[in-house]
Amino acid sequence: MDKIKMTTPIVEMDGDEMTRILWQMIKDNLLLPYIDLKTEYYDLGLEYRDQTDDKVTTDSALATKKYKVAVKCATITPNAARVKEYNLKEMWKSPNGTIRAILDGTVFRAPIVVKGIEPCVINWKKPITIARHAYGDVYKGSEMKIPGAGKVELVYTAADGTEVRELVHNFESAGIVQGMHNINNSIESFARSCFNYALDTKQDLWFATKDTISKKYDHTFKDIFQDIFDAEYENRFQEAGIEYFYTLIDDAVARVMKSEGGYIWACKNYDGDVMSDMVSSAFGSLAMMTSVLVSPDGDFEYEAAHGTVQRHYYQHLKGGETSTNSVATIFAWTGALRKRGELDGNQELAAFADKLEQATIDTIEAGEMTKDLALITTIENPTVLNSENFIKAIATRL
Ligand code: NAD
């Protein structure tokens, strides 16, 4: 059989621990036998990040700007324990944070829906994709404890020295105060990433804030989204047969619960933080969530939403058997291959991505799955497979 040819490479970002083991198994069993795989390889494993003073992370993000499509394995974000464990020169920053800052992107998280792993919200039939604005608001806030009576004001000092003041509160006793900000450029990038991704995946886009209460702060988010939509996207949405829908955050939450899914829900930073965990837990499993970083320029970096599954890795190192779920990592690869296929006009490659996803879903729906899914499935007497045999079962169907 002739292997599928590729014209442009995908940026491949290797990672750590158990997901690094799965990464190689996926390539060996599901990709290399069928595709003449062209990748530009970056080793984001912690040892090599340390050796290169984390330059490899920056290089991989710059390569993503060049080739437009990347696939990333889960990586360790070092903390004090990891600095000791790996004898690191420094507590390097989160690679995802570094890559996101360079691409100025928005993260979209979506569950992989299969029969037999049922969401606890029974009317959710299709995935709900959450887009989180990952800049500012309370995450870059400054706070004070107010010890007693006194006045708190917001003061803006313009470049020419002129001041504008706004009273926050006249305290009569002790209390608390918080100042936070956002930047129009960042909100605009967020809006464009969301509109582009809605067009890309042909799904409606919902956005919600509390603009009735926050008449300047939240209202600015609402206005920026609407202005960009009207000026740049309205016609394209009409052609694609999709909608942009704005509502209040409380109304959005109520509607989401009653909906059947199948749309993108764009959230401000805090809402996205909270709602993405609600949605992923309600859909069943962190191991079945995909994540894609989309830049306003149309660069795409695909990954699994979960981490490196450290506990399984230590088991694996001791020679023990593992049953680690590789589905989200497989879907990271299929997302990248399909996007590469679309951008290069390589239909064979895009079709292969569809087939690999279908083979993965069929395997689970036939009752063959890893232990994490066997514990929550509605399928009776599932067959629990180890990490490698699950991937081989998919290869057999493929
Ligand atoms: P984790 O996602 O690795 O694990 C959280 C829990 O979910 C564990 O109980 C694990 O057993 C289970 N789980 C997750 N994915 C699974 C899978 N595919 N199959 C079976 N079970 C699965 O998160 P953690 O334990 O908090 O972090 C471990 C490491 O991963 C940390 O060093 C952290 O920095 C890193 N991390 C990386 C990313 C990323 O690269 N995007 C995201 C989160 C955490």
Side-chain angles (χ1 to χ4, degrees):
M1 187 182 73
D2 274 352
K3 289 190 189 180
I4 299 168
K5 297 269 178 298
M6 291 176 64
T7 48
T8 322
I10 286 173
V11 177
E12 175 183 353
M13 305 170 176
D14 207 344
D16 288 299
E17 299 195 312
M18 200 59 212
T19 39
R20 189 180 179 99
I21 309 277
L22 297 178
W23 196 258
Q24 198 57 50
M25 287 181 189
I26 292 168
K27 284 174 68 179
D28 290 343
N29 291 282
L30 300 175
L31 305 177
L32 295 171
Y34 309 100
I35 307 173
D36 224 346
L37 194 67
K38 257 193 176 186
T39 69
E40 193 163 295
Y41 180 85
Y42 292 85
D43 184 359
L44 301 198
L46 188 51
E47 278 118 343
Y48 195 63
R49 270 184 276 151
D50 195 50
Q51 264 179 50
T52 60
D53 295 336
D54 208 22
K55 188 170 169 294
V56 65
T57 307
T58 307
D59 289 347
S60 72
L62 294 175
T64 306
K65 274 180 174 275
K66 178 172 168 196
Y67 294 114
K68 308 206 92 53
V69 184
V71 58
K72 180 179 169 292
C73 179
T75 46
I76 293 170
T77 297
N79 54 16
R82 299 297 202 162
V83 171
K84 224 168 128 196
E85 182 184 352
Y86 285 83
N87 193 21
L88 300 179
K89 296 185 218 162
E90 250 182 65
M91 198 187 292
W92 304 110
K93 286 194 202 144
S94 144
N96 287 40
T98 303
I99 295 165
R100 196 166 59 214
I102 293 172
L103 296 180
D104 185 20
T106 297
V107 173
F108 297 82
R109 270 178 148 208
I112 299 154
V113 177
V114 298
K115 287 194 205 87
I117 312 295
E118 304 300 333
C120 18
V121 181
I122 49 171
N123 44 285
W124 287 0
K125 304 284 181 228
K126 298 179 200 161
I128 295 170
T129 302
I130 298 257
R132 174 180 172 192
H133 182 215
Y135 178 83
D137 303 350
V138 293
Y139 301 86
K140 282 209 185 288
S142 46
E143 307 181 317
M144 257 191 231
K145 286 193 173 196
I146 305 299
K151 183 168 73 171
V152 175
E153 288 179 306
L154 291 176
V155 182
Y156 163 65
T157 312
D160 67 4
T162 51
E163 277 185 5
V164 183
R165 283 169 185 265
E166 176 80 30
L167 179 71
V168 176
H169 191 62
N170 248 322
F171 284 88
E172 288 174 5
S173 61
I176 40 181
V177 68
Q178 179 180 58
M180 60 184 194
H181 79 278
N182 221 299
I183 296 170
N184 289 6
N185 275 342
S186 172
I187 303 169
E188 288 163 11
S189 292
F190 174 52
R192 288 199 176 90
S193 295
C194 291
F195 291 131
N196 287 340
Y197 196 64
L199 284 170
D200 197 54
T201 58
K202 298 240 180 339
Q203 298 184 87
D204 290 346
L205 177 70
W206 295 19
F207 181 49
T209 72
K210 195 73 182 175
D211 64 282
T212 46
I213 301 295
S214 172
K215 291 192 168 64
K216 293 203 175 100
Y217 199 102
D218 276 22
H219 215 294
T220 299
F221 277 83
K222 176 184 177 182
D223 292 343
I224 287 177
F225 265 70
Q226 196 64 51
D227 290 350
I228 291 181
F229 179 73
D230 293 346
E232 301 170 25
Y233 291 94
E234 193 173 6
N235 293 338
R236 287 154 74 190
F237 267 52
Q238 245 166 28
E239 279 162 26
I242 58 172
E243 259 183 34
Y244 168 58
F245 172 61
Y246 176 85
T247 187
L248 276 175
I249 185 69
D250 35 338
D251 181 48
V253 170
R255 284 171 187 259
V256 164
M257 296 312 290
K258 299 272 184 192
S259 77
E260 65 162 29
Y263 49 85
I264 299 164
W265 184 11
C267 292
K268 286 181 63 205
N269 208 349
Y270 177 81
D271 298 339
D273 189 354
V274 176
M275 293 305 169
S276 64
D277 280 12
M278 183 194 75
V279 168
S280 70
S281 112
F283 268 105
S285 168
L286 186 59
M288 298 290 279
M289 290 291 284
T290 59
S291 171
V292 50
L293 176 72
V294 182
S295 82
D297 300 334
D299 308 319
F300 294 79
E301 183 239 295
Y302 295 84
E303 65 172 329
H306 60 76
T308 59
V309 209
Q310 184 180 15
R311 200 169 45 79
H312 292 202
Y313 181 58
Y314 290 156
Q315 226 166 294
H316 170 84
L317 285 184
K318 280 194 246 153
E321 187 171 78
T322 59
S323 179
T324 315
N325 190 334
S326 47
V327 172
T329 308
I330 293 170
F331 273 63
W333 273 102
T334 53
L337 292 168
R338 183 183 299 107
K339 178 51 71 181
R340 185 77 278 160
E342 281 168 21
L343 293 179
D344 297 352
N346 186 342
Q347 276 153 14
E348 239 191 320
L349 193 63
F352 175 80
D354 292 343
K355 283 180 201 157
L356 177 49
E357 287 185 1
Q358 199 54 54
T360 306
I361 290 170
D362 289 348
T363 302
I364 298 170
E365 292 183 349
E368 295 179 304
M369 59 190 79
T370 46
K371 193 173 159 195
D372 57 307
L373 294 185
L375 291 171
I376 58 171
T377 187
T378 53
I379 296 173
E380 281 177 30
N381 304 318
T383 309
V384 179
L385 299 176
N386 66 28
S387 306
E388 186 158 21
N389 286 342
F390 176 66
I391 290 172
K392 291 206 158 129
I394 297 170
T396 304
R397 282 208 164 62
L398 188 63

